[in-house]
Amino acid sequence: MALSREMPYNGRNMDATLSEIADRVLLACGKRPVALEPVKGGGYSLALRLKATFPDSSTAFVKVATNEWTRNFLRQERHVYTHLGSQPFLPEYIGFEDTGEYPLMVLEDLTGAFWPPPWNPERIQAVLTALEQIQQAPIPPD
């Protein structure tokens, strides 16, 4: 995949090219990806979702705002991550870049994680434990 071609998203092209996104990932986390691949499925917004692969073969999840709503949402999400810090119920927050119209967030890549079903008693207990941890986490200020 060439990093310089425009990334189509929801039937339209983003203003940023993949090469520009790769440069911004470098600013956010100190590593420039050698590949950016669309993440299929999932997600709760219209943000562009990409899997970044770095020269050392490590990967990260990248979200790029695509409109005003996702721009505001990513900034709020960053606020939550930076306030809560490392938590067992959150993916690792790696970095954020917000110099343009489309903020970009880099998180731990969870594509290799297990996503139920099927459910068993151990997995149900893990969810209940995570819910207790979430309940005890500090509420980020406005």
Side-chain angles (χ1 to χ4, degrees), residues 61 81 85-87 90-95 106-110:
F61 178 65
Y81 274 103
S86 179
Q87 296 285 341
L90 291 174
E92 178 188 356
Y93 172 82
I94 299 171
V106 183
L107 299 170
E108 174 185 8
D109 177 21
L110 298 177

Side-chain angles (χ1 to χ4, degrees), residues 2-130:
L3 289 177
S4 62
R5 72 181 171 94
E6 289 188 346
M7 170 62 80
Y9 190 68
N10 286 350
R12 62 188 173 92
N13 285 331
M14 292 276 299
D15 291 339
T17 64
L18 287 177
S19 182
E20 290 168 336
I21 292 172
D23 290 342
R24 294 177 61 215
V25 169
L26 171 64
L27 291 173
C29 70
K31 298 192 293 187
R32 189 178 199 282
V34 294
L36 290 166
E37 303 169 41
V39 173
K40 305 282 192 242
Y44 297 103
S45 76
L46 295 177
L48 177 62
R49 297 174 303 279
L50 301 166
K51 179 178 179 178
T53 303
F54 299 100
D56 63 1
S57 298
S58 64
T59 59
F61 178 65
V62 177
K63 291 198 277 190
V64 184
T66 57
N67 57 30
E68 182 178 353
W69 188 87
T70 57
R71 182 171 44 245
N72 294 333
F73 180 77
L74 278 179
R75 288 176 178 147
Q76 290 172 353
E77 188 174 0
R78 176 190 188 197
H79 176 70
V80 171
Y81 274 103
T82 57
H83 179 75
L84 291 178
S86 179
Q87 296 285 341
F89 53 84
L90 291 174
E92 178 188 356
Y93 172 82
I94 299 171
F96 197 82
E97 196 281 324
D98 194 7
T99 58
E101 187 176 356
Y102 302 106
L104 172 149
M105 180 180 287
V106 183
L107 299 170
E108 174 185 8
D109 177 21
L110 298 177
T111 56
F114 176 78
W115 300 99
W119 291 96
N120 62 33
E122 293 82 21
R123 292 179 184 141
I124 292 169
Q125 185 56 52
V127 169
L128 294 174
T129 299

